Amino acid sequence: MSDGHDHSHLSDTELRVRALESLLTDKGLVDPAALDAIVDRYENKVGPRNGAKVVARAWVDPEFKKFLLEDGTAAIGSLGYLGSQGADMVVLENTDKVHNVTVCTLCSCYPWPVLGLPPAWYKSFPYRARLVKEPREVLQEFGLELDDDVEVRVWDSTAELRYLVLPARPAGTDNMSEEELADIVTRNSMIGTETVASPAGGA
Amino acid sequence: MSVPSREELPSLPRDEEGPVFKEPWEAQAFAMTLRLYDGGHFTWPEWAACLAEEIEAAQQAGDPDLGDTYYQHWLKALEKIVARKGLLSAEELSRRKDAWDRAAHATPHGEPIELGPDD
C-alpha cells in the first residue's frame, strides 16, 4: 500500500500545533477545555454582533452615544463587551462630512470583543498598505463611493488602542426597534469599508 | 517601512462573512495565545510586536501576505514567544513534533492519534 493510505498523516503545521498544545498542557500552562471555550466564544458567540448592539444603542439613546464618543472603553464596558487584552477603545462617528475607516498597518490589531475575529482581507498586506495611501480607491473597491466633500480619515490601530466606527443611521429607520437596528449593522460598516444601507422598503 | 506603489501591489482580497478560521489548527493557535496572555506570560504589546516581526520577515521572504497565511505567521510568532519567555524550548518542541509524527504513522487511518507512553 502506498504511503499515506494505510495510516494517519498530520501536516507539518498540524504537528507543530499539536507539539505546542501537548507540551503547554503537560506543563500546566494551558487547559484544553479553556482552549475549546475560547475557540467557541470567538467563532460562534462574539462575531460582529456585540459591535452591532453598541451601534444600535448609540442610535436610539443620545446619552449613551455621547458617553460612547467621549469614553469608548467605559461605554462599551458598561454593556459588558470589553475583552481581556486591555486595549482602549475609541469610537469614531461617521457623518455627512467625515468618513472614518480603520486598519492595522503593522499586523492585524482588531477590536475582537466587539467585532469577533478579522476577515481575511483586513489581515492582508494590500489592505494594510493601500488604505493609508489611497483610501478613496480602496473604499471604491468595496463599493463605497464617497462625495468629494466628505473627508476620509484613516485610523491605524495598535496593541493598546483599537477603533470602532459608529456608522451613520440610515434614513427610513425611525420606526425600528433597537434590536431591529442591530440586525442591519454590518461588520464592514463598523470597520468603515461600507455604510449601513436603508432596509429594504425603507426610504 | 516604505509603502509600495499601487502597481506593485496585488488587488485587494475580498470575502463574504465567511468562517473566521479556515482550519482547526488556526483556532487552536489563536486560543493558546490568548490563554498564555491571560495567564500573564507575556503582555499584549509584546505579542503584537512578535507577530509583526514574523509578518515582516515573511513578506521579505516573498509572501504576498494576502491574509490567508496570517495564522502561519501567528504560529511562528507563538513558537518564538514561548521560547523567548522560557516556557518551552525549541528543542522540546522539535522532539515533541517528531513524536506526534511517529504516532500519526503508527495510527491506522481514521482512528484518533495519541502519543505513546515514551513520547
Side-chain angles (χ1 to χ4, degrees), chain B residues 96 99-100 102-104 106-107 113-119:
Chain B
R96 182 59 67 92
W100 277 112
R102 284 196 304 276
T107 304
I113 302 165
E114 282 167 14
L115 290 181
D118 299 331
D119 293 321

Side-chain angles (χ1 to χ4, degrees), chain A residues 52-149:
Chain A
K53 288 177 195 160
V54 172
V55 169
R57 173 68 57 86
W59 282 351
V60 300
D61 180 346
E63 279 299 307
F64 179 76
K65 178 176 164 181
K66 190 165 170 274
F67 181 24
L68 186 66
L69 293 174
E70 279 173 5
D71 188 345
T73 310
I76 291 168
S78 76
L79 298 183
Y81 301 144
L82 278 191
S84 63
Q85 286 92 53
D88 277 329
M89 289 290 310
V90 170
V91 178
L92 310 160
E93 183 182 20
N94 280 351
T95 65
D96 292 348
K97 297 286 164 238
V98 176
H99 184 90
N100 297 287
V101 58
T102 62
V103 65
C104 173
T105 53
L106 265 188
C107 46
S108 309
C109 297
Y110 190 73
W112 301 341
V114 278
L115 293 186
L117 293 173
W121 53 260
Y122 185 89
K123 298 177 284 193
S124 77
F125 182 62
Y127 179 75
R128 300 190 329 256
R130 286 185 47 209
L131 186 72
V132 175
K133 206 178 161 219
E134 41 184 19
R136 280 176 190 274
E137 286 81 355
V138 168
L139 291 175
Q140 268 172 4
E141 289 176 35
F142 277 92
L144 182 59
E145 299 281 348
L146 295 170
D147 290 340
D148 288 344
D149 63 344

Side-chain angles (χ1 to χ4, degrees), chain A residues 12 16 27 121 125 141, chain B residues 13-14 59 65 79 92 97:
Chain A
D12 187 67
R16 285 161 59 204
K27 293 182 184 233
W121 53 260
F125 182 62
E141 289 176 35
Chain B
R14 300 285 306 278
Q59 281 182 353
D65 190 13
E79 288 170 339
E92 269 179 300
K97 182 182 160 220

Side-chain angles (χ1 to χ4, degrees), chain A residues 3-24 26-27 29-31 34-36 38-39 42-43 48 84-86 105-109 112 116-121 123-130 133-134 137-138 141-143 159-160 162 186-188, chain B residues 1 3-6 9-21 23 25 27-32 34-38 41 44-45 48 51-52 55 59 64-68 70-72 74-76 78-79 82 87-88 92-93 96-97 100-101 104-111 113 115:
Chain A
D3 189 65
H5 288 282
D6 55 344
H7 58 73
S8 303
H9 177 76
L10 294 171
S11 71
D12 187 67
T13 300
E14 287 168 319
L15 290 170
R16 285 161 59 204
V17 171
R18 280 195 186 225
L20 270 168
E21 188 176 343
S22 60
L23 280 169
L24 291 171
D26 289 353
K27 293 182 184 233
L29 294 165
V30 304
D31 164 14
L35 296 184
D36 290 346
I38 291 171
V39 171
Y42 279 98
E43 199 154 40
S84 63
Q85 286 92 53
T105 53
L106 265 188
C107 46
S108 309
C109 297
W112 301 341
L117 293 173
W121 53 260
K123 298 177 284 193
S124 77
F125 182 62
Y127 179 75
R128 300 190 329 256
R130 286 185 47 209
K133 206 178 161 219
E134 41 184 19
E137 286 81 355
V138 168
E141 289 176 35
F142 277 92
E160 293 93 354
R162 320 265 172 105
T186 60
R187 177 194 66 198
N188 288 6
Chain B
M1 190 180 81
V3 178
S5 72
R6 185 171 192 174
L9 288 167
S11 63
L12 209 57
R14 300 285 306 278
D15 75 337
E16 298 308 315
E17 299 207 8
V20 289
F21 298 115
E23 295 181 43
W25 71 261
Q28 292 305 104
F30 170 79
M32 282 189 274
L34 239 62
R35 199 67 203 90
L36 290 174
Y37 163 77
D38 283 338
H41 297 290
W44 203 255
L51 177 58
I55 290 174
Q59 281 182 353
D65 190 13
L66 299 180
D68 51 343
Y70 178 68
Y71 282 104
Q72 287 287 352
W74 185 292
L75 176 57
K76 261 197 182 161
L78 180 57
E79 288 170 339
V82 295
L87 304 174
L88 301 177
E92 269 179 300
L93 275 173
R96 182 59 67 92
K97 182 182 160 220
W100 277 112
D101 200 22
H105 278 83
T107 304
H109 189 68
E111 287 183 20
I113 302 165
L115 290 181

